[in-house]
Amino acid sequence: IHVLKPEGSVMEPGDLICTMTLDDPSKVKKAELFTGQFPSLGAPWPRALKTMPHNTLVAARNMLEHVMTGYKIPRERIAKALQDVRCMLQNPMLPILEVEEVLSRVKNTIPFDLYDQLLRLGHTVREKIRKELSSGNNAPSPKAPIVAGLNEISSEHFSNQETEEKSQSQSGKTVLKCAEEYCTAVIAAIRESGDAASGVINQIASQYTNGMRASYLNLLSELISLYVETESEFAKLELSDSAEKDDVLQELRQENASDLSRVHALSYAHASKSSRNDLMIDILGELEYLVRQEDIEKTSKLSLRSEAIRIFRTVGSLNGISNTDVALEARQVLLELQDKSYAEQLETLEGRLRRIAAGDSKELDELIHDTNAQIHFLIEVISNSNDSELRNTALDVYIRRLYTAYKVENVKLSEGKVCANFTFFAEPKESLSMGTTGLASASSFDDLTALLSDSRVGTSRISDSQSVETSSSIGLDMDGGSVPAEKRQARTQSHVDMQTTGSKSVAPFVHRKGALVFFNDAESLKSGLKDAVINVNANGSSNQSDNPVNVMHIILNFNVWPGAEDNVEGLPAGLFELLQANLDLLKENSIRRVTFATATNGGIQTPILAGHGNRFYTFRERSGFKEDRLVRNIETPLAFQLDLQRLANFNIRTVPLGKNLNLATTVHLYEAMPKTSTGKGKPQKRFFVRAVVRQTGRVEDADEKLSLLNAYPGPERVFVQALSALETIKESLGTVGAAGQNHIFLNLLGYSKVEPSYMEAICRVITKRYGPRLRGVGVSEVELKVNVCLMEDTPPIPMRIFTTNPTGFSLQVSRYVEATDPNDPNESIFYSVSDSEKGLGGILAAMGLTELEEDEHEAETEHAPLHGKPLSTPYPVTTAIDARRARAMALGTTFAYDYPSIFKRALQLEWRKFCRESGSKDRPATATLLTSEELILDDEMEAEDSVGFGLCLTKRAPESNSVSMVAWRMNMKTPQYPDGRDVIVIANDITNKAGSFGTREDELFNRASQMARDLGLPRLYIAANSGARIGMADEVKQAFKVKFFNDEDPSKGFDYLYVTPEDYAILGPDGRKSLIGEYIPLEK
């Protein structure tokens, strides 16, 4: 053996370590290419036997078990296996064939009478199934063997979802009943015979006595158990005190030192978590469908719902980082199972509509202001109900819900058509109102894009795929101060519709007209649009050619445009062309806006989740009836809830999210470019994700198995969709904007009776749970708006929670309520909330229960930067410190000035651990755990108090250092030194000259180190640098020459640096005096 790599060498994949010389190469037997033919293996396996239900089930179940144990199997094969399991467990022949297969093996070991009796039972049930299926005109050919014929019949009836309804027909239920009766009879026959050798047959029959669905649930439960067994072990280690260790697998080995085969099995399965997670989500969907079908048909003798809920709770309690999606799906299904089914919710709405039609005004008011998702169901009734009275009532409610912030009058329903005309007008508001629903209806703006820029600053170009230009006014100036009250129209009117060109704002009390029209298909839309437009302004009383005021809402019972079925943009493009063909007609009838809402092909028969099943497209007159992409898929009354006016510092455009309906209609992604640059270089784009959360229900009976922090899966589901939206563009565009500068905003509708501290705890848990994904897509801030009731019999108030993690290590949570400004009752501001009595005063003031008092503690807190600022304060453009922090993150390290906050976080965790282990509750306040003072050279401009050693203290901004080395004197309070201990900390600033060492850096490092030695203080040095930097004049550096060991191969290294006698004559003491050197003769 000849070693090619010496001991201690750095190895790379594929490196050759050694070679081997054989003593006698002739003894090596070389492989030869096979050129013959394979021997005959006899007749092929009978295809009929391969496709028999019991064989198909075994093969499919084995494949799914292999996936759960970590084997890599193509996605399409996994889906086919799961479908086979579902279909075979609807096949009435399954238990018969399983029992007869065992009989063929044990017929010589059991009594002949029992064997004969079981065979006759099978033939009897076969004949009964044949007759039942024959009555459904699905009989097999008379010439076909009975087994093959029944197999063909069962394949026709139970092989795919298209024919699944047949299995749910009366004949399908009857044959499944025959199978259950057969299993009961088999068990009775074995019991009478008393034969002990028939235990296997008895076990098979027992699986089906409670119904085929119960057997299906048991099989799914076994697969889920394989997943939970593995992931619960890793989740336990990931959340333990040793979770910070690099190798969780090492912890697993230590815990199972006596059973390493188990370690191998668990780690092998966990390594394939992606495919296993996908399969688990599919299985949970199957389990939910199974429960819902059983609730309707009730064919099982057991309560499948209770067993399924137990399984969902077990899966939902998993807290591992790698199974967050699976656990969230389980919790979401738990929430949905406690709600009514889609059909039941639709039936409930129809009942409410009938009561409204009978004159129940209270029911009408409640339905108009109901914060639950109702638009989807109203469109369903309008599109598909055969009851004309019900449809007309749904039209009336739909209009009043859309225009809840307006005064709606004279709703007229057309006879013989699904159409309604109405008039409405806006009323001025003197201040923001908080209704009992928790929604600030006074902020409901009809034309949302009219709030995106300040007309005093200039025109904002909102560039989407169609390059629509929009400009308007918001209630802020560029300095963040409030605009005079007379200009604050966005705060004092319920409807604002402004721009610098085109349509003007509509004044209060101007009567406007609207129409809600339904079209069943594209042809009827093309032929009927003209009459619908003319009908809006039939009397012509509100026709204003210079300022159109009328609106149209059109519900479509289709969601693809003819000829563009495969194009996701086909429908809005077709609608745009149709409006352009009627452009003059729209202007003549003073049409200001046309909004199209699509139905969902007769309704998606699933519960409404965080999103909705409808699409919305809005076309505005001021842009020539081009689509307003900023508000696509947003219902008109909810558009303002996205709070887009806070993006006033940016030019924004919508980013398409593809064909995923739920994602595209729930989450709205905007690319933002700063209008003005705050520093050197090209402005960095950012991404803002905005979403409205409709499902805010709580999982009932949340206990220690499913903690209270996991009891609200609706918001978490939308949060995951927001992350998925950013991950989608990361894959497609290769970028997610400036590192750590992207933003997620969730607005929860409805209201919740929770404490602020509880909401903060949820934010902390979710941020930690999805921390790697947040960092992967560059999200530094998550903003949550929720309407909370803190006490009984008090109205809900809007509260905002900001979760930021600029360093990636130290999580900061800020809580605010939207309170009235004590100095200006027409303005609403952010008011910081803490758990202290003073912080609670901000909440009480917002509820009008007490005076708003100045909270000095909260005003000074570093984590409440928005305290006292108006709600319309725009998001800041990236600052210099943000840019430098992003640069450090891009280099895979940490910005030097973030180290103090990281040390403070580490001290918090250390004290938490100490108190938990010792039982002590006495620990320093968080604010006093660490204090730091920056040390700089005494000749710098920012130098203040001298501390000796050539160093001074400074209070300069973090990003203003000119030396790429930073030093602090820190005082840390640890459990070992609760009174505090001084430490000198030195760190390279990688964002300044790549953190390299020059003469100034070397001087600071040396003086700070000398200070630590002389004072007897510990010194910590955090290195992140690119090496030394020669700090001399360029003319000197250019004169340097390098003597390499091998001029042809510089990688071999160099011997010395030198200057030529000619250059030394110019730069030396006799010349410019910028170089001092010594002549050294070289040995030959």
Side-chain angles (χ1 to χ4, degrees):
I1 294 178
H2 305 282
V3 178
L4 301 180
K5 290 282 188 180
E7 183 178 355
S9 298
V10 177
M11 304 294 293
E12 297 290 341
D15 282 355
L16 184 62
I17 303 174
C18 62
T19 61
M20 183 171 63
T21 302
L22 301 178
D23 294 334
D24 188 359
S26 62
K27 293 183 179 181
V28 176
K29 186 175 181 179
K30 298 182 179 180
E32 298 180 355
L33 179 65
F34 177 73
T35 58
Q37 294 182 346
F38 288 109
S40 175
L41 298 179
W45 184 266
R47 183 170 179 80
L49 295 179
K50 280 187 178 181
T51 58
M52 294 291 275
H54 62 303
N55 292 330
T56 302
L57 177 63
V58 170
R61 180 173 56 197
N62 289 340
M63 182 177 294
L64 297 179
E65 289 177 351
H66 289 158
V67 175
M68 286 302 184
T69 52
Y71 288 92
K72 303 285 187 181
I73 297 177
R75 176 67 177 160
E76 56 273 12
R77 292 186 62 190
I78 298 175
K80 178 64 167 56
L82 190 59
Q83 180 183 2
D84 286 343
V85 169
R86 181 199 315 119
C87 296
M88 293 308 103
L89 283 168
Q90 295 175 357
N91 195 315
M93 289 298 298
L94 179 64
I96 301 173
L97 294 172
E98 286 189 357
V99 169
E100 290 183 348
E101 183 182 40
V102 177
L103 276 178
S104 66
R105 299 199 302 264
V106 301
K107 63 181 180 180
N108 295 324
T109 63
I110 63 175
F112 178 77
D113 291 342
L114 176 60
Y115 173 76
D116 184 61
Q117 183 181 1
L118 295 180
L119 280 183
R120 283 187 283 106
L121 274 175
H123 287 306
T124 301
V125 175
R126 270 194 174 87
E127 190 61 30
K128 188 181 295 186
I129 294 174
R130 172 187 288 277
K131 290 180 179 179
E132 188 62 39
L133 296 180
S134 297
S135 65
N137 296 322
N138 288 293
S141 169
K143 296 181 180 180
I146 185 168
V147 175
L150 281 172
N151 189 44
E152 292 173 5
I153 291 171
S154 55
S155 296
E156 288 182 8
H157 277 262
F158 309 102
S159 62
N160 55 60
Q161 288 187 339
E162 293 180 1
T163 58
E164 195 170 318
E165 292 182 359
K166 296 181 180 179
S167 68
Q168 298 168 8
S169 63
Q170 190 58 43
S171 61
K173 296 176 184 177
T174 303
V175 296
L176 291 177
K177 193 70 175 177
C178 292
E180 296 169 16
E181 292 173 352
Y182 165 77
C183 293
T184 303
V186 168
I187 294 174
I190 294 174
R191 186 183 300 112
E192 290 179 4
S193 68
D195 182 65
S198 306
V200 177
I201 301 176
N202 186 79
Q203 183 179 357
I204 292 173
S206 299
Q207 295 176 4
Y208 303 101
T209 53
N210 292 320
M212 301 293 279
R213 285 203 177 101
S215 180
Y216 188 22
L217 184 142
N218 291 334
L219 189 148
L220 295 178
S221 178
E222 292 173 3
L223 294 172
I224 292 174
S225 297
L226 293 175
Y227 179 89
V228 172
E229 179 185 3
T230 300
E231 297 306 319
S232 60
E233 288 289 337
F234 281 88
K236 180 177 64 176
L237 294 174
E238 289 171 351
L239 298 176
S240 65
D241 291 337
S242 60
E244 299 297 328
K245 295 185 178 181
D246 293 334
D247 192 0
V248 175
L249 188 59
Q250 180 65 29
E251 297 297 310
L252 185 64
R253 285 196 292 266
Q254 292 178 2
E255 289 187 0
N256 298 271
S258 61
D259 189 4
L260 293 182
S261 61
R262 183 171 184 268
V263 176
H264 175 266
L266 292 175
S267 58
Y268 189 79
H270 183 70
S272 301
K273 50 183 173 289
S274 177
S275 58
R276 294 168 70 246
N277 286 349
D278 291 341
L279 176 57
M280 270 296 295
I281 290 176
D282 291 341
I283 289 177
L284 293 177
E286 288 288 322
L287 194 56
E288 179 192 8
Y289 176 79
L290 188 67
V291 172
R292 292 196 180 279
Q293 287 300 113
E294 181 60 26
D295 287 345
I296 297 173
E297 300 176 10
K298 301 188 184 302
T299 60
S300 177
K301 297 178 181 178
L302 298 178
S303 173
L304 301 189
R305 172 177 280 268
S306 59
E307 178 63 18
I309 288 177
R310 183 194 66 79
I311 295 174
F312 284 127
R313 287 187 180 276
T314 300
V315 178
S317 63
L318 292 174
N319 290 320
I321 297 175
S322 59
N323 48 56
T324 53
D325 289 347
V326 174
L328 174 60
E329 185 71 19
R331 295 194 294 272
Q332 180 68 41
V333 175
L334 267 177
L335 180 61
E336 293 163 12
L337 285 179
Q338 73 187 30
D339 292 335
K340 298 178 181 178
S341 66
Y342 180 93
E344 291 172 329
Q345 292 183 64
L346 185 60
E347 183 179 355
T348 299
L349 175 65
E350 291 176 348
R352 299 179 71 178
L353 292 175
R354 289 191 172 90
R355 288 193 292 274
I356 293 172
D360 191 337
S361 59
K362 182 180 179 181
E363 186 70 60
L364 173 63
D365 184 69
E366 291 178 354
L367 185 54
I368 289 173
H369 296 93
D370 193 341
T371 58
N372 294 323
Q374 300 292 350
I375 292 290
H376 179 89
F377 294 104
L378 289 170
I379 292 179
E380 170 79 3
V381 173
I382 294 171
S383 304
N384 299 290
S385 177
N386 295 321
D387 188 332
S388 59
E389 183 182 42
L390 201 63
R391 295 178 79 168
N392 288 338
T393 307
L395 282 170
D396 183 70
V397 173
Y398 187 92
I399 291 169
R400 297 183 186 278
R401 273 184 69 92
L402 285 179
Y403 291 89
T404 182
Y406 295 81
K407 184 71 173 179
V408 178
E409 296 179 338
N410 303 324
V411 178
K412 297 181 180 179
L413 304 171
S414 301
E415 295 184 5
K417 295 182 180 180
V418 186
C419 176
N421 292 80
F422 59 96
T423 59
F424 65 101
F425 61 88
E427 296 178 305
K429 306 291 182 181
E430 295 183 356
S431 62
L432 281 173
S433 64
M434 296 181 184
T436 56
T437 63
L439 303 180
S441 59
S443 301
S444 179
F445 305 124
D446 179 45
D447 290 346
L448 180 61
T449 54
L451 300 175
L452 288 174
S453 67
D454 193 337
S455 59
R456 299 161 55 202
V457 176
T459 300
S460 165
R461 180 177 178 83
I462 310 301
S463 58
D464 59 10
S465 61
Q466 300 176 8
S467 298
V468 179
E469 287 193 2
T470 329
S471 60
S472 57
S473 173
I474 62 169
L476 289 177
D477 58 23
M478 288 304 292
D479 296 327
S482 59
V483 174
E486 61 271 14
K487 295 185 178 181
R488 209 177 296 116
Q489 298 186 25
R491 314 304 304 176
T492 59
Q493 289 183 203
S494 63
H495 171 68
V496 176
D497 195 358
M498 299 178 60
Q499 68 165 22
T500 56
T501 60
S503 304
K504 301 177 182 178
S505 61
V506 181
F509 302 116
V510 172
H511 281 68
R512 306 166 61 184
K513 293 183 178 181
L516 177 60
V517 192
F518 170 78
F519 291 102
N520 196 54
D521 51 52
E523 292 303 320
S524 62
L525 172 63
K526 294 176 182 178
S527 60
L529 180 62
K530 180 178 179 180
D531 292 339
V533 173
I534 295 174
N535 191 42
V536 174
N537 199 34
N539 298 327
S541 58
S542 64
N543 186 10
Q544 302 178 25
S545 59
D546 60 332
N547 187 26
V549 295
N550 299 332
V551 297
M552 291 187 69
H553 293 269
I554 301 176
I555 296 177
L556 307 176
N557 201 25
F558 59 95
N559 50 29
V560 293
W561 193 259
E565 288 80 2
D566 297 329
N567 185 2
V568 69
E569 295 294 327
L571 180 59
L575 297 174
F576 170 71
E577 293 178 1
L578 180 61
L579 293 178
Q580 292 302 303
N582 294 273
L583 197 58
D584 293 337
L585 183 65
L586 292 167
K587 292 182 178 179
E588 290 172 3
N589 288 274
S590 191
I591 303 300
R592 183 185 190 87
R593 187 192 74 245
V594 181
T595 299
F596 294 90
T598 67
T600 52
N601 293 332
I604 298 177
Q605 301 302 308
T606 56
I608 300 299
L609 304 181
H612 51 75
N614 310 100
R615 291 183 179 272
F616 297 86
Y617 307 95
T618 299
F619 299 81
R620 304 186 188 279
E621 181 273 339
R622 66 166 175 245
S623 62
F625 285 100
K626 293 180 180 179
E627 186 196 355
D628 188 348
R629 291 288 299 273
L630 292 181
V631 293
R632 175 182 284 193
N633 298 324
I634 311 174
E635 305 98 314
T636 304
L638 294 182
F640 80 98
Q641 300 282 9
L642 293 181
D643 215 3
L644 290 187
Q645 66 267 25
R646 295 197 65 206
L647 303 181
N649 285 339
F650 302 87
N651 295 324
I652 65 175
R653 74 173 185 90
T654 55
V655 179
L657 295 175
K659 297 182 178 180
N660 188 322
L661 179 64
N662 194 29
L663 184 64
T665 57
T666 304
V667 174
H668 306 274
L669 178 61
Y670 301 96
E671 180 186 279
M673 289 292 293
K675 294 177 182 177
T676 57
S677 178
T678 58
K680 299 180 181 179
K682 183 180 179 181
Q684 293 291 323
K685 66 180 177 182
R686 299 167 61 182
F687 289 91
F688 289 85
V689 186
R690 327 289 283 179
V692 173
V693 183
R694 297 165 180 81
Q695 190 182 49
T696 57
R698 179 180 182 273
V699 175
E700 295 178 352
D701 302 325
D703 52 16
E704 69 281 353
K705 191 71 172 178
L706 185 67
S707 69
L708 288 173
L709 296 178
N710 294 323
Y712 293 88
E716 186 178 353
R717 191 186 188 100
V718 180
F719 176 76
V720 171
Q721 290 176 348
L723 286 177
S724 300
L726 287 170
E727 290 167 344
T728 299
I729 63 165
K730 181 179 181 181
E731 295 173 359
S732 61
L733 303 180
T735 177
V736 288
Q741 293 301 305
N742 300 323
H743 184 279
I744 294 176
F745 169 72
L746 304 182
N747 191 344
L748 279 62
L749 302 186
Y751 58 90
S752 304
K753 295 180 180 179
V754 295
E755 292 291 336
S757 56
Y758 174 74
M759 296 301 301
E760 177 179 337
I762 289 180
C763 290
R764 289 185 180 276
V765 168
I766 291 179
T767 305
K768 179 180 179 181
R769 183 177 294 163
Y770 299 98
R773 293 180 67 180
L774 287 167
R775 291 190 291 271
V777 294
V779 173
S780 63
E781 184 172 68
V782 177
E783 180 181 355
L784 181 71
K785 179 178 179 180
V786 59
N787 297 286
V788 297
C789 292
L790 300 175
M791 305 176 184
E792 293 293 336
D793 302 324
T794 59
I797 61 169
M799 177 179 179
R800 301 212 188 198
I801 302 175
F802 293 80
T803 305
T804 59
N805 192 2
T807 66
F809 301 95
S810 179
L811 187 67
Q812 302 171 2
V813 179
S814 313
R815 295 174 296 176
Y816 306 89
V817 293
E818 299 179 5
T820 301
D821 188 343
N823 301 317
D824 185 354
N826 293 324
E827 184 69 79
S828 292
I829 61 173
F830 291 102
Y831 193 92
S832 180
V833 178
S834 70
D835 287 328
S836 66
E837 183 178 353
K838 288 187 177 181
L840 185 59
I843 300 177
L844 299 177
M847 299 168 65
L849 300 181
T850 185
E851 293 294 329
L852 180 61
E853 299 178 357
E854 180 65 24
D855 188 339
E856 296 180 358
H857 173 74
E858 289 298 328
E860 295 177 352
T861 178
E862 59 179 338
H863 301 328
L866 292 175
H867 180 76
K869 294 185 178 181
L871 295 182
S872 52
T873 301
Y875 296 111
V877 178
T878 303
T879 62
I881 189 172
D882 291 329
R884 292 180 66 171
R885 181 178 287 128
R887 204 182 317 156
M889 293 177 65
L891 294 172
T893 184
T894 302
F895 182 41
Y897 282 95
D898 286 334
Y899 286 123
S901 62
I902 295 175
F903 278 119
K904 179 180 285 189
R905 177 60 179 165
L907 290 171
Q908 284 182 281
L909 297 176
E910 191 68 21
W911 275 102
R912 183 182 303 172
K913 179 181 177 182
F914 171 77
C915 293
R916 182 174 62 251
E917 294 177 351
S918 65
S920 172
K921 295 183 180 181
D922 184 17
R923 63 178 180 180
T926 301
T928 65
L929 286 179
L930 182 142
T931 56
S932 63
E933 298 174 314
E934 185 180 354
L935 302 172
I936 61 176
L937 298 173
D938 56 8
D939 59 354
E940 292 194 48
M941 292 182 60
E942 300 90 347
E944 296 180 6
D945 299 332
S946 175
V947 293
F949 308 97
L951 298 174
C952 291
L953 300 177
T954 185
K955 296 181 181 180
R956 65 187 178 186
E959 75 280 358
S960 58
N961 58 309
S962 59
V963 179
S964 60
M965 180 78 69
V966 187
W968 298 272
R969 178 171 181 165
M970 297 184 182
N971 183 274
M972 302 182 183
K973 294 183 178 180
T974 65
Q976 295 78 20
Y977 291 88
D979 294 330
R981 181 176 184 180
D982 285 349
V983 179
I984 300 297
V985 178
I986 309 172
N988 295 108
D989 181 3
I990 196 70
T991 66
N992 187 318
K993 303 172 187 176
S996 58
F997 267 91
T999 54
R1000 301 283 291 173
E1001 288 77 16
D1002 184 70
E1003 192 66 33
L1004 178 61
F1005 181 89
N1006 180 61
R1007 293 182 185 181
S1009 299
Q1010 184 66 39
M1011 178 181 179
R1013 288 193 295 270
D1014 289 356
L1015 298 180
L1017 303 178
R1019 187 205 69 181
L1020 301 178
Y1021 170 50
I1022 305 173
N1025 63 79
S1026 58
R1029 184 177 75 253
I1030 300 177
M1032 59 182 65
D1034 289 338
E1035 61 179 9
V1036 176
K1037 288 189 288 184
Q1038 292 173 3
F1040 278 134
K1041 302 293 187 296
V1042 181
K1043 177 61 176 73
F1044 293 103
F1045 289 119
N1046 186 344
D1047 292 337
E1048 297 180 354
D1049 187 4
S1051 64
K1052 299 294 186 180
F1054 68 94
D1055 191 4
Y1056 53 82
L1057 302 178
Y1058 68 96
V1059 296
T1060 64
E1062 294 78 10
D1063 289 336
Y1064 189 74
I1066 297 173
L1067 301 173
D1070 298 332
R1072 299 177 183 174
K1073 299 182 180 181
S1074 57
L1075 179 63
I1076 299 176
E1078 179 182 355
Y1079 176 74
I1080 300 177
L1082 298 178
E1083 298 179 1
K1084 294 184 179 180

